[in-house]
Amino acid sequence: MKFKAKILEATDISRILTRMAHQIVEKNGGIENVVLIGIRTRGVPLAQRLSEIIERIEGKRPLVGALDITLHRDDRQKLDSPTLCDTKIDFNVEDKTVVLVDDVIFTARTARAALDAVMSLGRPSRIQLAAFIDRGHSELPIRANFVGKNIPTSLEEVIAVHLEEFDGEDSVSIYSK
């Protein structure tokens, strides 16, 4: 991949997450029964950050879980040996408003797999999707309820979200294949 440009810095990411946290609180009339579930890998620290920001807004932190969607992917037959990460959801999703958090929505197939995975855990009252970046190439009738930034891309481009927890810095860059 060839680096094209850094399009977001750490301060941009912080500002976007703060706005998204306010939107989650506002849309749900507070955070009663709201839980955040990050889609592995980078959705998990984003969900944790959103939870911390919501705590500053509301004085209470929503529960956070981590979801591995590997076994729910529609292309898993193509994977040589899928690597399983742990799903860590230490709470019941029954009758909760589940906010699925992902770093980038591209085709929406990850979101579809996440819906299946959450539904296998119970029956939430509502499921919402928070995508930090929406690339605008959905192949399914799924769209995010909360979008940090819309970044239209070509199919030959790749968006990389770099987070301190994994990459040592917070930034978003665009690459060409």
Side-chain angles (χ1 to χ4, degrees):
M1 289 192 299
K2 182 182 173 194
F3 177 80
K4 288 180 78 173
K6 185 181 282 191
I7 52 180
L8 296 174
E9 301 281 343
T11 55
D12 303 313
I13 291 171
S14 178
R15 185 173 37 257
I16 290 167
L17 287 172
T18 299
R19 179 176 40 80
M20 291 177 73
H22 279 281
Q23 290 172 339
I24 291 167
V25 170
E26 183 177 332
K27 181 170 181 84
N28 292 297
I31 59 161
E32 191 67 32
N33 288 320
V34 173
V35 297
L36 305 177
I37 298 179
I39 301 170
R40 292 214 185 260
T41 298
R42 284 172 177 75
V44 176
L46 290 172
Q48 291 166 338
R49 291 184 192 189
L50 284 168
S51 179
E52 292 167 8
I53 296 166
I54 290 170
E55 181 179 31
R56 289 195 297 267
I57 297 166
E58 291 290 294
K60 183 178 178 191
R61 180 182 286 209
L63 297 172
V64 178
L67 186 66
D68 179 7
I69 55 101
T70 304
L71 296 178
H72 297 273
R73 291 172 52 127
D74 61 7
D75 65 348
R76 75 174 181 265
Q77 300 86 349
K78 296 178 185 177
L79 303 174
D80 291 333
S81 56
T83 304
L84 296 178
C85 300
D86 290 333
T87 289
K88 293 191 180 187
I89 300 174
D90 300 329
F91 49 84
N92 191 340
V93 299
E94 287 288 326
D95 300 320
K96 300 284 189 213
T97 296
V98 172
V99 180
L100 292 170
V101 180
D102 204 3
D103 60 342
V104 178
I105 189 168
F106 178 41
T107 62
R109 291 185 181 276
T110 297
R112 191 226 32 95
L115 288 169
D116 287 349
V118 167
M119 294 304 288
S120 73
L121 299 172
R123 189 175 191 279
S125 62
R126 180 180 328 173
I127 300 176
Q128 300 168 340
L129 178 61
F132 186 72
I133 303 289
D134 186 344
R135 291 186 53 188
H137 293 282
S138 183
E139 297 173 355
L140 302 171
I142 295 172
R143 67 179 180 83
N145 302 87
F146 312 103
V147 175
K149 188 121 176 108
N150 287 295
I151 301 178
T153 60
S154 75
L155 295 175
E156 290 75 39
E157 292 174 315
V158 173
I159 295 286
V161 175
H162 304 284
L163 298 175
E164 181 73 36
E165 294 87 340
F166 293 106
D167 310 300
E169 72 167 354
D170 284 347
S171 66
V172 176
S173 298
I174 188 164
Y175 296 84
S176 59
K177 291 183 182 179

